[in-house]
């Protein structure tokens, strides 16, 4: 293999290679051994299956939304049905897909290995959190089956408490339970990161993936309970009629908004930070370089988490918050945007003087750069007070958050899945297909959501079942894009499943990456490490890796 | 007893603290202090002190809470990490209160 | 390459010591922790993180209280005076006592005294039940007086306070009807806050039964105190919430007629 | 904005004609658009920079050309650069955005007032002259119009994209927004806050008329009774005048001239009487008792509709003297000059 070939993929000789005889997948057999497992890797797989399921459920809702919006008239479904569609789409996608996406799958799988330990601090709580997630999912499905819920994912009072007769309480219960699942995941991560690092694994030797998860976990632990109590109050207000948010009883509906966004703003960083962690790993690996400005990237994660708690009222600028406090929140919103910019530039400079190859995960990372920058910068539009007046509650918002959530986090998630798939399953997927799907989803994505920015500035309100005819052209473009996007997301499901059986054997370290997880067998042993590793090098130390490989070659060969 | 299981890699770890046993005598004193605090709260509420009434009530409640946290919950003898964790919780709570109040207070200042 | 861990480094002095202790493990030691102590500290830390979430959980309620108390002060005073301070104070003492026994229970476990531990846990439970019993009495009274928020909420008592038989004066400052309506906000918060607190108590009592059971069979008298200790943290936290609820809900202003 | 007006016109017209851009039909619109174009520019510049970096490095340092990576630690200087430059840009955006916000939510002194009541799922506009409109709004061109809005049920949001204005319509509280239309025509009114089943049908049209046309419209569509006249009837039929007669011996304060004055309250604080205060004084009288009076006024919660309240408020606003009620003394507080627009502390 010549050093100048355009790929770094380094698979073992397929004729002789086999999967390791003993690994976490075949360690024990039977359904129960999965359902009662304490192994963080198995729980990660359980999570992966369940969030994929819910992603496609949410995706079907998205497809129906887009189909309805193909024409200006309300022709496909009734208004109520449409309202249920986007509510369920939002609830499923946010609480059952995006919040647990990277942390509960990749984070669960990798954090203990990256830290050089055998498991998360509390394996049982980890399992519990998956069951809570399932319970939350079940309640959501129940709400769906018993007639749906049409509050929007934001549950605005007094609409949700007094004016709707759908399954608000069921959905509220679902979110309450799913919230605790997220709290327990975060709690487990924090304890593990503080208390379980292998000898020599100092804070500044940790991979940036772990830093990002640490920051996100803090948000999960401190933010989610506020959502929990808010949702409890909504449920109580609906059922027995207490009057905390009800204006006719003297309550203040804006209080609900404050409490809701106190969680839900930090939640958007729960959704993006783990994705940023993934990007750090990918960019470093495929440019063969240490992440530029490691400390800056690490601290910017923490800064995002910290500042993230101070900006929630930017979702309420026109809702009647005091103008003075709107000023303060707008200013702080500008500050919270800076650390994200820092990260983008640091990743870009990581490429400098690297030796760059373009495998699938790297393509997803590139998609992330472009889409997250657009999404983030449009967030700055919204943070500017006067600008927000025109843009809020229009499709501009919809486009903004899909750019950060789908273009940012979902791309990062897919990048991460493709990156660690060989580690998780021991097998490679067909590169040509995966590259195709990365490109397809990038194109489809832009086609879907770019027109929505224009629609938003034209004034098309969100959550509209029917719209004035002049907006149709752009909506048709968007729907067309969604179809392409759907294909782009369906493809990985197919070839990844295919690869489980037929994929090439990946070997320990197909990407020749430096992370601890790449130094053990793939798929790993149940106990990860046979003996606790001692860490004497920083993360992304390619010289250490080269040295090590050389030694192996000399000892083995 | 903690020595037997001492992990040397923990020595450099600032998150480490020795296990400390609080004696029943200390618990009794705390118990007494809490009872007195309760009594004072009830008595103070019956005296008209104007704005000072809630201040005193909350002051006593906070003192009681701090005593419970320090002794019943052993935070006084815990590692820095635990102390900071407790602090972080109250910090976030204060953020919630002050930032939200900033809205409610300045609403009365009129439109601009 | 075989499938073994390939992080191969010369063993430092540190590891040598470290490995020496590796096999020192009690039965409850979980395999993925290096040492007993690491496990204990992780447990305590995890428990505290959980309590952080509890702080924020109740935090939302406390903020709502703060806001409405400032908006509807008169209603809050009148409504608060409907609560029974004696019962509230007794409950405070009961809860403090229960916390005290819990603390002693932790001590008993630490010094490995099984029967004392069981005794203290039982006392803790008994006082917990006492608290809930009194709470039930109070709730029941609210029910009878139609002070439960919702459809049947009744404000007449606040608009026309009953005449005190002894003094012949109204026992309470009458509220204007619009302000009297706002007592419902107070009772909403009262039930939400004390209700959430009571739910926490009930969960705690269930856990207490389980712990007592295990303590009885001597699980916690051999140096394995973590479950007792961590449960203690939870129980004390629930106490602390009450320490704030009592003055905030019962003692807003006890002297409106002076 | 400092681009040449001709260029601006060209740009905007061109974009509008290709259906990519809303028309600029109010005095606010160019200001909003200016900020929008500025933001678009910095986004584009940012994208270009990020693009050049990412693609430039990818091409220059791809493995074929650069087989061995050279490790670089980082650079404090660069780090500072990309902290400070975005921060500075964002702060400019903040200041600009805040100024725009002031402009949009701070009505000029001489604006005319129209009431808007939102309910599931329609907009009711009530002109002071008594014209009522549903899902429609007629306004004159070239005159600042202020909307005082309230919702009867849930949150709604009143939005006119072509004017670049929008404001949440809240239950239990007046909110205001203002605009000055510049081009005659009809424009969309949207409810942009999700409000239940027919949220997307809570739409209407605002018609901008030339001053002459507007004159004609007002005369042609009046129902005969102005809001204030309706209010006067209510004031009598609900028995308000039994206490607010203006007599020296009356149990309630004299309401002539209260609007716009600063009122001394029994608890020592001082409030400015605007529409919101008047509304609240009728619904929650005991929460702000005027100094020198007993809290005897009953609450009218649940007895007057929002429309009735608007009539009453409009009536009380117009009471400059007690000529109509009874000519007597005015309260001592009312000798301050009332500004013509509500809620205005500074012009
Ligand atoms: C993953 C989720 C996610 C993320 C990361 C963000 C990130 C940001 N968001 Fe977003 N947001 C949402 C999800 C997210 N948002 C959702 C779901 C909603 C709608 C909720 C609803 O109502 O349903 C929303 C709504 C929303 C609003 C409310 C709009 C409204 O309702 O009126 C605002 C307002 O300030 C906002 C702002 C921001 C800002 C400033 C950021 C910043 O963090 C972005 C920072 C990033 C960058 C700035 C990009 C990188 C910068 C560069 C590369 C520099 C470029 C170079 C130069 C300038 C030279 N968002
Ligand atoms: C993680 C979060 C997430 C994700 C991934 C998505 C993904 C998508 N979303 Fe969604 N969206 C939200 C979060 C998310 N969304 C939220 C929070 C709201 C606000 C809700 C509210 O207002 O309360 C929202 C609202 C929202 C709206 C606005 C509705 C309205 O306001 O009226 C629209 C409209 O276009 C939309 C579209 C899409 C599309 C096309 C995708 C696509 O990316 C989805 C692509 C995936 C698939 C299509 C599934 C996989 C493919 C198949 C199963 C093949 C078969 C399907 C087809 C051929 C169609 N979303
Ligand atoms: Cu009214 Cu939407
Ligand atoms: Cu936000």
């Amino acid at each position: 293999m010549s050093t100048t070939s355009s790929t770094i993929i380094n698979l073992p000789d397929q004729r002789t290679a086999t999967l390791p005889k003993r690994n976490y997948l075949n360690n024990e057999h039977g359904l129960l051994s999965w359902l009662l497992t304490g192994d963080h890797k198995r729980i990660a797989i359980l999570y992966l299956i369940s969030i994929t399921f819910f992603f496609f459920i949410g995706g079907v809702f998205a497809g129906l939304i887009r189909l309805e919006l193909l024409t200006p008239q309300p022709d496909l479904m009734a208004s109520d049905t449409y309202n249920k569609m986007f509510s369920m789409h939002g609830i499923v996608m946010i609480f059952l897909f995006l919040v647990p996406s990277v942390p509960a799958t990749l984070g669960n799988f990798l954090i203990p290995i990256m830290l050089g330990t055998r498991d998360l601090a509390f394996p049982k709580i980890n399992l519990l959190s998956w069951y809570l997630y399932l319970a939350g999912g079940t309640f959501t499905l129940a709400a769906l089956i018993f007639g749906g819920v049409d509050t929007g994912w934001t549950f605005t009072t007094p609409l949700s408490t007094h004016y709707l007769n759908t399954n608000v309480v069921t959905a509220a219960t679902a979110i309450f339970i799913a919230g605790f699942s997220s709290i327990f995941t975060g709690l487990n991560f924090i304890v593990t990161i503080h208390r379980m690092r292998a000898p020599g694994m100092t804070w500044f030797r940790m991979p940036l993936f772990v830093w990002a998860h640490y920051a996100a976990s803090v948000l999960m632990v401190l933010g989610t309970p506020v959502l929990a109590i808010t949702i409890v109050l909504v449920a109580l207000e609906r059922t027995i009629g207490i009057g905390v948010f009800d204006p006719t009883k003297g309550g203040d509906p804006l209080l609900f908004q404050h409490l809701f966004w106190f969680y839900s703003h930090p939640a958007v960083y729960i959704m993006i930070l783990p994705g940023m962690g993934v990007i750090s790993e990918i960019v470093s690996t495929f440019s063969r370089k240490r992440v530029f400005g490691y400390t800056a990237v690490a601290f910017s994660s923490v800064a995002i988490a910290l500042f993230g708690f101070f900006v929630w009222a930017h979702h309420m600028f026109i809702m009647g918050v005091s103008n003075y406090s709107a000023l303060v929140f707008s200013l702080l919103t500008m500050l919270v945007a800076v650390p994200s910019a820092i990260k983008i530039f640091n990743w870009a400079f990581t490429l400098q003087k690297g030796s760059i190859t373009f495998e699938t995960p790297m393509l997803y990372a590139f998609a992330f750069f472009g889409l997250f920058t657009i999404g983030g910068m449009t967030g700055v539009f919204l943070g500017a007070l006067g600008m927000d007046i025109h843009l809020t509650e229009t499709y501009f918002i919809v486009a903004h958050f899909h750019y950060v959530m789908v273009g940012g986090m979902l791309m990062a998630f897919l990048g991460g899945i493709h990156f660690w798939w060989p580690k998780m399953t021991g097998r490679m997927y067909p590169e040509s297909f995966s590259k195709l799907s990365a490109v397809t989803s990038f194109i489809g994505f832009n086609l879907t959501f770019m027109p929505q920015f224009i629609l938003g500035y034209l004034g098309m309100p969100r959550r509209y079942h029917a719209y004035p005819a002049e907006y149709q052209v752009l909506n048709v473009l968007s729907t067309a894009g969604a179809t392409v996007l759907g294909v782009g997301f369906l493809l990985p499901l197919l070839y990844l499943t295919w690869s489980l059986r037929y994929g090439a054997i990946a070997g320990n370290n197909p990407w020749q990456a430096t992370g601890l997880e790449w130094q053990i067998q793939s798929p790993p042993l149940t106990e990860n490490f046979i003996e606790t590793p001692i860490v004497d090098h920083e993360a992304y130390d390619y010289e250490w890796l080269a040295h090590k490989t050389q030694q192996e070659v000399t000892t083995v060969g | 007893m903690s020595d037997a299981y001492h992990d040397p890699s923990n020595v450099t770890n600032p998150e480490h603290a020795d296990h400390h046993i609080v004696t029943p005598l200390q618990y009794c004193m705390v118990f007494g202090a809490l009872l007195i605090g309760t009594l004072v709260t009830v008595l103070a509420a019956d005296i008209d002190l104007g704005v000072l009434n809630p201040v005193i009530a909350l002051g006593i409640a906070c003192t009681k809470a701090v005593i419970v946290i320090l002794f019943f919950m052993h935070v006084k003898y815990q590692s820095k990490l635990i102390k900071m964790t407790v602090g972080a919780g109250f910090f976030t709570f204060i953020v919630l209160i002050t930032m939200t109040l900033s809205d409610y207070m300045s609403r009365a200042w009129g439109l601009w | 390459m075989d499938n073994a861990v390939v992080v191969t480094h010369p063993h430092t002095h540190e590891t040598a010591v470290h490995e020496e202790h590796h096999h020192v493990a009690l039965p409850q030691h979980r395999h993925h922790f290096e040492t007993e102590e690491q496990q204990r500290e992780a447990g305590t830390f995890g428990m505290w993180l959980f309590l952080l979430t509890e702080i924020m959980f109740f935090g939302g309620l406390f903020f709502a209280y703060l806001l409405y108390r400032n908006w509807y002060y008169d209603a809050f005073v009148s409504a608060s005076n409907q609560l029974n301070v004696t019962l509230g104070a007794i409950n405070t003492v009961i809860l403090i006592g229960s916390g005290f026994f819990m603390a002693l229970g932790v001590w008993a476990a630490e010094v490995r005294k099984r029967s004392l531990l069981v005794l203290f846990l039982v006392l803790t439970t008994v006082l917990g039940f006492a608290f809930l019993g009194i709470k039930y009495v109070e709730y029941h009274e609210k029910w009878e007086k139609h002070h439960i928020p919702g459809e049947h909420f009744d404000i007449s008592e606040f608009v026309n306070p009953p005449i005190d038989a002894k003094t012949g004066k109204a026992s309470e400052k009458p509220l204007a009807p619009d302000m009297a309506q706002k007592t419902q906000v107070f009772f909403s918060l009262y039930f939400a806050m004390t209700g959430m607190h009571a739910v926490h108590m009930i969960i705690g009592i269930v856990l207490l039964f389980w712990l007592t059971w295990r303590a009885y069979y001597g699980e916690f008298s051999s140096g394995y105190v973590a479950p007792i200790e961590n449960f203690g943290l939870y129980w004390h936290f629930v106490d602390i919430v009450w320490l704030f609820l009592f003055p905030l809900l019962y003692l807003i202003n006890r002297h409106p007629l002076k | 904005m400092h681009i040449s007006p001709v260029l601006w016109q060209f740009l905007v017209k061109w974009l509008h004609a290709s259906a990519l851009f809303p028309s600029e039909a109010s005095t606010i619109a160019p200001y909003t658009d200016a900020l929008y174009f500025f933001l678009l520019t910095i986004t584009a510049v940012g994208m270009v920079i990020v693009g050049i970096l990412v693609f430039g490095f990818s091409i220059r340092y791809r493995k074929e050309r650069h087989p061995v990576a050279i490790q670089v630690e980082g650079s404090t200087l660069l780090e500072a650069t990309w902290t400070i430059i975005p921060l500075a840009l964002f702060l400019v955006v903040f200041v600009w955005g805040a100024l725009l916000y002031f402009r949009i939510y701070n009505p000029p002194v001489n604006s005319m007032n129209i009431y808007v009541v939102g309910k599931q799922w329609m907009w009711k506009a009530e002109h002071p002259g008594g014209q009522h409109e549903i899902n429609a709004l007629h306004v004159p061109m070239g005159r600042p119009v202020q909307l005082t809005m309230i919702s009867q049920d849930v949150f709604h949001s009143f939005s006119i994209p072509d004017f670049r204005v929008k404001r949440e319509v809240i239950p239990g509280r007046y909110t205001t927004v203002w605009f000055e239309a510049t081009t005659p025509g009809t424009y969309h009114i949207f409810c942009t806050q999700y409000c239940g089943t027919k949220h997307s049908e809570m739409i209407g049209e605002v018609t901008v008329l030339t001053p002459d046309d507007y004159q004609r419209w007002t005369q042609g569509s009046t129902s005969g009774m102005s809001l204030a006249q309706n209010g006067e009837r209510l004031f009598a039929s609900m028995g308000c005048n039994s206490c607010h007669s203006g007599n020296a011996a009356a149990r309630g304060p004299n309401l002539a001239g209260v609007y716009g004055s600063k009122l001394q309250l029994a608890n020592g604080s001082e409030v400015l009487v605007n529409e919101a205060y008047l509304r609240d004084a009728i619904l929650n009288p005991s929460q702000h008792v005027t100094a020198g009076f007993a809290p005897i006024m009953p609450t009218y919660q649940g007895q007057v509709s929002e429309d009735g309240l608007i009539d009453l408020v409009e009536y009380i606003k117009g009471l400059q003297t007690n000529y109509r009620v009874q000519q007597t003394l005015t309260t001592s507080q009312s000798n301050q000059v009332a500004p013509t627009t509500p809620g205005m502390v500074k012009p």
Side-chain angles (χ1 to χ4, degrees), chain A residues 20 118 120-124 195-196 221-222 225 229 232 243-244 249-250 252 519 521 529-532 534 536, chain C residues 3 5-6 9 11 15 22 30-34 38 41-42 53 56-57 68 72 149-150 184-185 188 196:
Chain A
R118 279 174 233 134
L120 286 175
F122 310 114
K124 281 187 189 151
R195 297 297 301 117
M196 312 275 293
V221 167
L222 289 171
I229 187 64
V232 167
V244 181
K249 293 204 170 106
D252 182 17
Q519 316 311 323
Q521 68 175 38
F529 302 96
I530 289 168
E531 65 184 70
T532 310
I534 317 286
D536 60 355
Chain C
N3 299 324
V5 184
V6 287
H9 296 287
H11 280 208
T15 12
H22 192 67
R30 302 219 177 279
H31 74 281
H32 61 289
F33 286 103
E34 292 291 313
Q38 186 189 28
E41 284 179 17
T53 71
M56 295 312 292
F57 187 82
Y68 294 127
Y72 309 129
Q184 196 169 351
V185 176
S188 296
M196 280 302 142

Side-chain angles (χ1 to χ4, degrees), chain A residues 247-385:
Chain A
T248 61
K249 293 204 170 106
D252 182 17
L254 270 195
L255 178 63
F256 168 82
Q257 303 267 330
H258 274 296
L259 295 177
F260 180 83
W261 290 113
F262 181 86
Y263 163 75
S264 290
H265 182 79
V268 310
Y269 296 123
I270 297 177
M271 293 181 239
I272 198 72
L273 278 168
M276 293 171 154
V278 170
I279 298 298
S280 294
E281 302 299 310
I282 294 179
V283 170
S284 159
T285 301
F286 295 100
S287 52
R288 326 290 314 146
K289 263 189 70 212
R290 187 167 198 262
V291 172
F292 191 88
Y294 171 95
T295 24
V297 179
F299 280 135
S300 63
S301 292
V302 178
I304 289 177
L306 181 66
F307 285 114
F309 272 118
F310 291 86
V311 303
W312 74 84
H314 67 206
H315 296 269
M316 310 158 59
F317 280 157
I318 72 159
M319 295 217 185
V321 293
S322 121
N323 297 332
Y324 302 93
S325 93
L327 276 181
V328 175
F329 278 104
S330 171
L331 179 62
L332 292 166
T333 303
M334 297 303 159
L335 298 186
V336 80
V338 175
S340 304
I342 295 179
K343 278 179 189 277
I344 295 273
F345 286 114
N346 274 300
W347 288 323
F349 269 81
T350 304
L351 301 174
Q352 190 203 14
K353 308 213 168 124
S355 170
I356 305 166
T357 53
F358 304 94
E359 277 76 26
T360 315
M362 191 64 155
L363 296 188
Y364 278 112
F366 280 13
F368 177 95
F369 291 153
L371 304 180
F372 179 74
T373 305
I374 296 179
M377 282 305 296
T378 51
V380 176
F381 286 44
L382 303 173
L385 283 171

Side-chain angles (χ1 to χ4, degrees), chain C residues 34-54:
Chain C
E34 292 291 313
T35 61
E36 194 69 24
E37 189 185 348
Q38 186 189 28
Q39 177 176 355
R40 196 178 53 74
E41 284 179 17
T44 315
F45 184 35
M47 194 62 210
W48 270 105
L49 283 175
F50 180 72
L51 294 186
L52 285 202
T53 71
E54 293 279 17

